[in-house]
Amino acid sequence: MASNPVITSNKRPLGRLFSYARTQRRFIWMAITASVLNKIFDLAPPVLIGAAIDVVVKREDSIIAALGVTDVFSQLVWLAGATLLIWGLESVFQYAQAWLWRNLAQTIQHELRLDAYAHIQDLELAYFHEQSSGGLLSILNDDINQLERFLDAGADQLISVMTTALVVSAAFFILAPGVAWMAMAPIPLILWGSFKFQRLLAPRYAHVREQVGLLNGQLANNLSGIATIKSFTTEDYERARIEHVSSDYREANRKAIVLSSAFSPLIRMVIVLGFIATLVYGGHLALEGELPVGVYTVLVFMTQRLLWPLTRLGETFDLYQRAMASTNRVMDLLETPIRIDNGEQSLEPAQVAGAVHFDNITFGYPNRDPILKNFDLKIPAGATVGIVGATGSGKTTLINLLLRFYEPQSGKLSVDETDISKLDLTDLRRAIGLVSQQVFLFHGTVSDNIGYGTFDASAEEIERAATLAEADEFIAQLPQGYQTMVGERGETLSGGQRQRLSIARALLKNPPILIFDEATSAVDNDTEAAIQRSLNRVTRDRTTLIIAHRLSTVRNADFIVVLDKGGIAEQGSHDELIAANGDYARLWRVQTGDIGHLAD
């Protein structure tokens, strides 16, 4: 099986994000429009101030008088009304842009996280063997949050700067073309510097995102293995490892900060030159009478409104680059191909007889030799089959293939003579109940964990499944019975108790095919006996595969398959295999302590 490639797209991250958010484009354009209008009305007060100065200086000859309002006091009243209207509109559009951008940020963040999580669930198990859970959590949480922060504030800031540059540039060339070039001269240099910094920052922030993924992965791994860390007293060692990874993350941030922090001071010095030129040369023209005082006032205010916001471009580009680095990571995840295609043929569990056929199967995990080679095994419907063999002989691999966690390199696997690759994955897995060696319980009540996956089960059905699994007795002794909280991963229960809850969960599903994967490997003798009694009851009228190291677990199976080196070494009932005096018989004697026969 080929491993998942690392996805690298030639698209720009902003384009990838815009393509993804196509369902929100109407709201995006509404938010952009609100930001533009808010900034236009925000730029109007300097014009009103200039007009007011023009009224005071020129009186009946002012610009307002040219509009037909000749009385000076009436001109001031007119300006007051215009000011009230403009500030009111500015407030309306400021509210609109804030409301739209913030809700867009939350909506896109929500949809991205759900889509990314749903895509992760559809990926085959091989993908998870190549990725750390902490790295995936970093994408689902930290990277998507970075994007949310940019949409919440940075997007509006970029649009505001661009709107300011366009509006003020147009106003300058209309009011005073001779002075305009002085205010505009720094802008090309500022824009060139901005894009140059953007290109330099992009790889540094991409490295930052990689490092935070590694750090989260190490932290998640350590927290899940805290019992092992404590038992081996390796707290200092693990702290040193976290310190090392955290230092790498800090160093990656430091390199990005060194560059991003230099942006604003450098741009500020370029900006001040344009402001001084407008202040001095425009003032000279006003003193010579070549430029109206009101217009000069507007130019000074407009220059400040144009140039000083550019000093914040450093912070905005910092937000932007962090967000785009995160966007690439999220989009790369979403574009990771799903290697296991869903079949189109439906399957009703109630109609499944349960015959299973491994037909000439060859399979190996990525970059390893094949575990199964031309493997062929027919399991009749309703049969109970024991599967035993040495570690690495392929026992659990059979289960992974039957559940389509992996695909074989060659051969065909069928249920009731139907190729499982043609079956709907959900229907296939609903027809199979799995009791794994590694029992996973969710944080919740005992009842919640038994009913997991069969969410419409009644309390009576849950209790009946627990009784079949011989879990009802210990559940009754818990503080709140079926409503007792089991804690994260079920850590408040013993291994045997967790195993019996897992059996009850599978039985509640009532599947036609039932799999026990090393269900008794880590339990005591009493628990094994209880599980064995459960097996004797629940295997009736259903196909059952029992994978076991303890041969006592499979002794009563209809037939037992002994695996060795990717194939079947022996096959038969317990008595037949004992009589054959092969590997199974020797292992049976070791486990039962029949030392006398070992000498034979």
Side-chain angles (χ1 to χ4, degrees):
M1 176 180 291
S3 61
N4 286 291
V6 177
I7 304 299
T8 54
S9 174
N10 293 324
K11 294 181 182 178
R12 294 184 179 275
L14 194 59
R16 299 175 79 183
L17 177 62
F18 195 70
S19 296
Y20 169 80
R22 56 187 175 274
T23 59
Q24 300 296 325
R25 285 181 184 174
R26 175 167 160 268
F27 293 101
I28 291 173
W29 286 115
M30 287 172 62
I32 291 172
T33 301
S35 292
V36 170
L37 291 174
N38 173 56
K39 182 48 62 177
I40 288 174
F41 286 111
D42 179 58
L43 293 170
V47 177
L48 296 174
I49 293 172
I53 292 174
D54 190 61
V55 168
V56 173
V57 173
K58 293 187 175 181
R59 297 176 180 269
E60 288 81 4
D61 297 324
S62 68
I63 295 174
I64 303 298
L67 299 176
V69 184
T70 56
D71 180 69
V72 175
F73 182 76
S74 296
Q75 292 179 42
L76 294 175
V77 171
W78 189 91
L79 281 173
T83 299
L84 185 62
L85 176 63
I86 288 171
W87 280 58
L89 289 172
E90 180 191 355
S91 298
V92 168
F93 286 112
Q94 184 178 24
Y95 173 80
Q97 63 88 7
W99 188 88
L100 285 166
W101 280 118
R102 290 180 181 179
N103 278 283
L104 264 172
Q106 295 302 318
T107 299
I108 292 176
Q109 171 190 232
H110 171 72
E111 292 179 351
L112 257 183
R113 183 172 286 118
L114 286 183
D115 287 347
Y117 177 73
H119 189 76
I120 285 174
Q121 289 193 133
D122 290 336
L123 294 170
E124 70 281 6
L125 280 184
Y127 176 82
F128 298 94
H129 294 163
E130 299 161 9
Q131 306 290 329
S132 74
S133 58
L136 292 174
L137 283 173
S138 176
I139 294 174
L140 292 174
N141 283 321
D142 198 46
D143 283 317
I144 291 177
N145 288 342
Q146 288 285 353
L147 179 58
E148 182 264 338
R149 282 191 282 271
F150 169 70
L151 291 174
D152 195 25
D156 175 65
Q157 291 174 12
L158 282 178
I159 293 168
S160 295
V161 169
M162 289 188 289
T163 303
T164 300
L166 291 173
V167 172
V168 174
S169 299
F172 262 59
F173 283 104
I174 292 172
L175 295 174
V179 181
W181 68 271
M182 290 187 175
M184 298 299 111
I187 291 181
L189 185 58
I190 291 169
L191 293 177
W192 174 84
S194 298
F195 288 115
K196 183 70 175 176
F197 265 81
Q198 180 182 338
R199 285 195 295 271
L200 291 173
L201 275 172
R204 299 195 182 195
Y205 276 124
H207 183 54
V208 167
R209 303 317 311 151
E210 291 172 5
Q211 291 301 131
V212 76
L214 292 174
L215 176 59
N216 286 344
Q218 189 65 56
L219 287 169
N221 187 67
N222 283 17
L223 289 175
S224 63
I226 194 67
T228 302
I229 292 172
K230 287 180 174 296
S231 67
F232 282 89
T233 63
T234 55
E235 291 90 345
D236 291 341
Y237 171 77
E238 291 301 337
R239 185 187 180 283
R241 286 216 297 174
I242 294 297
E243 182 180 12
H244 175 72
V245 180
S246 183
S247 294
D248 288 344
Y249 173 51
R250 181 178 64 176
E251 180 63 17
N253 265 303
R254 188 192 65 79
K255 290 179 179 178
I257 291 169
V258 165
L259 192 59
S260 64
S261 298
F263 180 84
S264 291
L266 293 175
I267 294 300
R268 185 181 294 272
M269 295 313 298
V270 175
I271 287 171
V272 77
L273 297 177
F275 183 75
I276 290 172
T278 305
L279 186 71
V280 174
Y281 185 64
H284 171 72
L285 294 179
L287 290 172
E288 295 294 324
E290 299 178 24
L291 187 69
V293 175
V295 173
Y296 172 64
T297 303
V298 172
L299 292 180
V300 171
F301 276 110
M302 282 292 194
T303 303
Q304 184 187 37
R305 287 296 186 96
L306 171 64
L307 298 179
W308 291 120
L310 295 176
T311 61
R312 295 200 301 272
L313 270 181
E315 298 174 10
T316 304
F317 273 126
D318 192 71
L319 271 177
Y320 174 79
Q321 285 302 339
R322 288 178 182 270
M324 293 306 101
S326 294
T327 296
N328 273 332
R329 279 164 52 88
V330 178
M331 294 302 164
D332 287 348
L333 172 61
L334 284 171
E335 292 172 12
T336 301
I338 296 171
R339 300 294 184 186
I340 297 181
D341 297 324
N342 193 17
E344 298 181 356
Q345 186 172 335
S346 61
L347 182 71
E348 288 294 330
Q351 299 173 356
V352 176
V356 176
H357 185 193
F358 293 87
D359 186 4
N360 204 31
I361 296 288
T362 296
F363 172 80
Y365 293 101
N367 304 316
R368 299 183 191 178
D369 294 333
I371 291 179
L372 301 176
K373 303 171 187 175
N374 303 317
F375 183 85
D376 196 277
L377 174 64
K378 288 185 177 180
I379 302 174
T384 297
V385 182
I387 301 175
V388 300
T391 300
S393 60
K395 301 187 298 298
T396 299
T397 298
L398 295 179
I399 308 311
N400 288 336
L401 293 174
L402 181 56
L403 285 162
R404 287 198 74 198
F405 291 159
Y406 296 90
E407 297 280 56
Q409 275 84 45
S410 64
K412 184 177 73 172
L413 209 168
S414 60
V415 170
D416 292 346
E417 299 183 358
T418 301
D419 188 340
I420 64 171
S421 65
K422 297 178 181 178
L423 296 174
D424 179 84
L425 266 175
T426 301
D427 288 348
L428 171 67
R429 291 169 181 169
R430 281 176 178 166
I432 301 172
L434 174 65
V435 179
S436 175
Q437 175 184 6
Q438 302 295 330
V439 179
F440 190 93
L441 297 182
F442 297 87
H443 181 71
T445 65
V446 170
S447 180
D448 292 338
N449 274 281
I450 295 176
Y452 185 79
T454 312
F455 300 110
D456 58 350
S458 66
E460 291 76 16
E461 290 171 326
I462 289 173
E463 292 178 14
R464 190 180 308 120
T467 301
L468 282 172
E470 296 212 3
D472 56 322
E473 184 177 340
F474 86 80
I475 293 174
Q477 296 173 359
L478 296 174
Q480 284 82 42
Y482 283 87
Q483 300 308 311
T484 301
M485 299 294 291
V486 300
E488 189 174 5
R489 297 178 182 269
E491 294 296 338
T492 60
L493 301 177
S494 70
Q497 290 172 334
R498 291 197 297 270
Q499 194 64 266
R500 278 182 269 185
L501 290 186
S502 178
I503 295 172
R505 179 193 292 167
L507 295 179
L508 182 63
K509 190 178 178 181
N510 193 28
I513 300 173
L514 188 57
I515 299 171
F516 289 86
D517 184 8
E518 304 286 7
T520 62
S521 63
V523 297
D524 56 39
N525 292 332
D526 289 340
T527 302
E528 183 191 6
I531 292 175
Q532 187 63 55
R533 289 193 297 271
S534 298
L535 286 175
N536 295 335
R537 288 193 297 268
V538 304
T539 57
R540 297 168 189 160
D541 302 322
R542 74 176 90 232
T543 303
T544 308
L545 283 71
I546 305 173
I547 295 173
H549 276 298
R550 292 184 178 182
L551 302 187
S552 56
T553 308
V554 299
R555 179 174 183 172
N556 296 325
D558 295 324
F559 67 96
I560 299 165
V561 177
V562 182
L563 301 185
D564 183 46
K565 297 179 181 178
I568 297 176
E570 295 179 284
Q571 182 174 330
S573 68
H574 171 78
D575 292 337
E576 291 170 345
L577 292 175
I578 292 295
N581 201 29
D583 292 339
Y584 180 87
R586 284 191 291 273
L587 185 58
W588 174 261
R589 290 166 188 149
V590 169
Q591 292 189 7
T592 57
D594 192 355
I595 306 299
H597 285 84
L598 289 176
D600 299 336

